[in-house]
């Protein structure tokens, strides 16, 4: 049974956002008997709302509030108001996500130690190591049901045609390729169905085989009677007292009425654009630069992964859409080997788009028309391809700031996202384009198309973790350096992006953070 | 060998190719339905006979509609795709322009600038330019205009997001109600 709490109850943890970070944190706390309210800006969707239709789902669940993209990168031209492709709804981007769940590599927690200072980048070691994270990764894999891991013992999905094509290409050029570790059931598990290969993982999984907080963590948390979820509750600002501790959260309900929910602890998990925006919007005379921002790092170091797409056309059908969205990963270049001409690593993630999205992303923006594009789309059924996912250098000037004059429907300054390549990102992407072409050429590709980055699905780094308060926003537990009872619980904590998709690490961090919060509450530290 | 590349190359040179003629080289695309595209003058739509005049929103006029249709085919040229699919996108727009004066202005002025540029560059109205690559030159110069982008956007949705056309492009569409592909060939591949 869902709980119901009073606005004046100041004994609660108030969690902002119900996605990978917030949804997980609420359930982990609830299992320990700790009560929380989740304030979620979006609606609560049901399985009936999920359709196997790319544009319909995009229109239904995406975060489409006004945003600006700036910077010289092509994305600012192609998608001037859509820096990120993420979700406004219960479950957050875990509705859209493809389910790829990989652990960071050891060196990825210490990029500064590994490569030293990188000119033009703001590289830092995480105040956490892989060794410390390992048990939490194990718990996360078990919770989420990641196939191909020791934690679950679930087998991989079978090899789809799309996977087989890439696997053969990888073999011919001597590159490592494996089926993907997906948080998608290959057996009935945890009360959820096994994957039936609909191929629309990124539109929300109609049968619930893919882990999403929408139908795992949230209902489990509610069932404890310790959690109240308030959908369509947009947080406007976080309040504090004159000792500098946070005391509550001001939000607008679906009718625009404002409420102040009191809090003992506040955990921010609105994804990496909204989380820093909330902290910046909460500025006060005591914290003129925004909450938890004595380092000046709130909103800085915005990372999206170094991405791009590569789609090859073949003579014969691949029917890539008859597959889980990401059936496999080419791991060959995930290590940190500067002899390649770039630092850090990348993965080629075998990934399909449906025809509607392929038409929009193959050559996005104003110039995406004409016979060459049309010919490629006629070859849709004969395509195989990748999404490139590589480590993105943290750069201070890649950031989220507030528009000086323009306000959104809630009266809040519109976020401005500045994002452009560090030279390392460009070199890495070019390396990935070249290796992908070799791979596809080795199996007789007729044509290989390079796609520029599309709106970011992975967003990280804007409230980063650091050992020292001067370098970042939160400490090794995601606790604000400046404010003891304020936590960041989503991907914005990332000190560096790693090569791997972020969600498994977000979930592992949330599980670990819940242990810490419980301990600190018991000791009356917070 | 590389049929696709050939047809891509020949596009640049085949100055006299007419986008409305089915291209025999296009592989499977045509054979998927076995239907043959009709010329621009008459198309079967919804069981009835349809001519460019009848999409015809009167205000835009016959010439305007014919220009928009030609432009539509040039933006996403699929030679074997019947006109009706392009008309289905353009027709509602022309009709809406009867009542929406801003839209009318956008379309009418867009057609006018297409013709102005065509005359400047090739001494012909847009619809009368025979070579696709010449028409592309004209379109390219208007690419950034709201007029062009509006039509491009509508066509992208109308062609590639049209479930009726998905089978012809080899896309399966919604699959959950058929039990996905777990028992319907997700692992089938006879060539790799
Ligand atoms: C298409 C797509 C594919 C992806 N595939 C993968 C993948 O395969 N593997 C992987 O690891 N990751 C993947 N991701 C990324 C993954 O979804 C995110 O990394 C993850 O969900 C981020 O978790 P989060 O907690 O930071 O934010 P989210 O999950 O986005 O949750 C944030 C929530 O906060 C809410 N919110 C924001 N602001 C406010 C406010 N002011 N008040 C109240 N609520 C607010 C939002 O509505 C949202 O529900 C994918 C993402 C997309 C879009
Ligand atoms: S492929 Fe599997 S996980 Fe993806 S949507 Fe279909 S059933 Fe769900």
């Amino acid at each position: 049974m869902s709980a119901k709490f009073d606005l004046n109850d100041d004994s609660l943890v108030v969690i902002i956002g119900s996605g990978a970070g917030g949804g997980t944190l609420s359930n982990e706390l609830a299992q320990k008997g700790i009560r929380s309210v989740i304030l979620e800006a979006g609606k609560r969707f049901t399985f009936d709302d999920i359709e196997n239709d790319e544009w319909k789902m995009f229109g239904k669940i995406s975060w489409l509030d006004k945003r600006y993209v700036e910077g010289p990168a092509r994305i600012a031209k192609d998608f001037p108001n859509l820096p990120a492709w993420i979700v406004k709804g219960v479950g957050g981007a875990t509705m859209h996500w493809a389910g790829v769940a990989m652990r960071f590599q050891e060196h990825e927690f210490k990029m500064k130690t590994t490569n030293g200072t990188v000119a033009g980048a703001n590289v830092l070691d995480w105040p956490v190591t892989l060794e410390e994270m390992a048990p939490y990764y194990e718990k996360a894999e078990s919770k989420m049901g990641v196939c191909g891991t020791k934690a679950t013992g679930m087998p991989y999905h079978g090899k789809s045609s799309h996977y087989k094509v890439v696997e053969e290409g990888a073999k011919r050029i001597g590159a490592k390729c494996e089926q993907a570790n997906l948080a998608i059931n290959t057996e009935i598990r945890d009360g959820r169905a096994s994957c039936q290969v609909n191929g629309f993982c990124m539109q929300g999984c109609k049968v619930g085989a893919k882990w999403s907080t929408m139908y795992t963590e949230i209902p489990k948390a509610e069932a404890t009677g310790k959690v109240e979820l308030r959908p369509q509750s947009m947080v406007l600002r976080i309040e504090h007292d004159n000792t500098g501790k946070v005391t509550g959260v001001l939000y607008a309900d679906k009718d625009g009425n404002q409420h102040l929910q009191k809090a003992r602890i506040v955990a921010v998990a609105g994804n990496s654009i909204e989380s820093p925006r909330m902290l910046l919007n909460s500025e006060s005379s005591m914290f003129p630069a925004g909450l938890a921002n004595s380092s000046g790092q709130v909103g800085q170091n915005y990372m999206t992964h170094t991405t791009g797409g590569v789609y090859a056309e073949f003579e014969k059908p691949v029917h890539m859409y008859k597959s889980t969205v990401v059936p496999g990963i080419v791991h060959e270049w995930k290590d940190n080997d500067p002899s390649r001409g770039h630092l850090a690593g990348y993965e080629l993630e075998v990934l399909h788009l449906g025809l509607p999205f392929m038409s929009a992303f193959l050559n996005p923006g104003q110039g995406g028309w004409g016979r060459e594009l049309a010919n490629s789309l006629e070859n849709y059924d004969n395509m195989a391809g990748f999404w490139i996912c590589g480590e993105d250098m943290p750069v201070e000037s890649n950031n989220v700031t507030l528009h000086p004059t323009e306000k959104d429907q809630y009266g809040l300054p519109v976020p401005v996202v500045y994002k452009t390549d560090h030279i390392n990102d460009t070199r890495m992407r070019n390396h990935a384009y070249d290796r992908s072409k070799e791979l596809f050429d080795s199996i007789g590709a007729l044509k290989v198309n390079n796609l520029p980055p599309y709106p970011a699905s992975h967003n990280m780094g804007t409230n980063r973790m650091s050992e020292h308060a001067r370098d970042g926003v939160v400490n090794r537990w995601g606790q604000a350096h400046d404010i003891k009872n304020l936590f960041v619980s989503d991907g914005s904590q990332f000190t560096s992006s790693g090569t791997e998709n972020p969600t498994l690490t977000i979930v592992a961090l949330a599980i670990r953070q819940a242990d810490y919060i419980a301990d600190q509450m018991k000791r009356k530290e917070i | 060998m590389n049929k696709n590349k050939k047809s891509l190359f020949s596009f640049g040179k085949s100055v006299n190719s007419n986008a409305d003629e089915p291209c025999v080289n296009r592989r499977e695309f045509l054979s998927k339905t076995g239907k043959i595209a009709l010329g621009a003058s008459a198309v079967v739509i919804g069981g009835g006979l349809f001519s460019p005049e009848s999409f015809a929103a009167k205000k835009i006029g016959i010439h305007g509609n014919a220009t928009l249709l030609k432009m539509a085919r040039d933006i996403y040229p699929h030679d074997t795709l019947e006109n009706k699919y392009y008309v289905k996108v353009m027709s509602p727009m022309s009709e809406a322009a009867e009542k929406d004066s801003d839209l009318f202005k956008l379309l009418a002025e867009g057609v006018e600038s297409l013709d102005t540029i065509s005359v400047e560059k090739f001494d012909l109205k847009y619809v009368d330019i025979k070579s696709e690559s010449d028409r592309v030159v004209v379109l390219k110069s208007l690419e950034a205009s709201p007029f062009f982008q509006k039509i491009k956007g509508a066509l992208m949705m109308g062609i590639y997001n049209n479930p009726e056309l998905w089978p012809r492009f080899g896309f399966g569409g919604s699959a959950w109600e058929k039990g996905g592909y777990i028992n319907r060939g997700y692992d089938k591949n006879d060539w790799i």
Side-chain angles (χ1 to χ4, degrees), chain A residues 7 16 43 79 106 134 137 141 143 145 167 169 183 202 232 256 263 289 295 301 341 356 358-359 364 381 400 408 451:
Chain A
L7 287 171
I16 306 168
K43 288 190 194 133
F79 303 97
E106 194 177 350
Y137 272 136
E141 287 164 350
K143 169 196 283 292
E167 185 184 47
M202 297 201 299
Q232 294 179 278
S295 63
N301 313 303
M358 190 57 82
S359 74
D381 200 19
V400 177
D408 69 5
L451 283 59

Side-chain angles (χ1 to χ4, degrees), chain A residues 245-273:
Chain A
K245 280 205 314 197
V246 293
T247 51
V249 174
L250 184 72
Y251 68 96
D253 67 19
K254 65 176 190 318
D255 304 314
N257 299 318
Q258 298 192 0
H259 309 277
L260 180 71
Q261 174 63 55
K262 291 209 170 138
R264 173 170 173 185
I265 294 167
V266 173
V268 180
N271 207 323
S272 297
I273 297 177

Side-chain angles (χ1 to χ4, degrees), chain A residues 164 317 370-371 378-379 446, chain B residues 4-5 27 75 78 132 187:
Chain A
K164 288 179 189 172
R371 191 163 285 272
E378 283 184 18
N379 267 335
L446 305 176
Chain B
N4 304 50
K5 266 189 190 147
R27 302 157 308 108
I75 291 181
H78 294 289
E132 180 182 312
D187 54 348

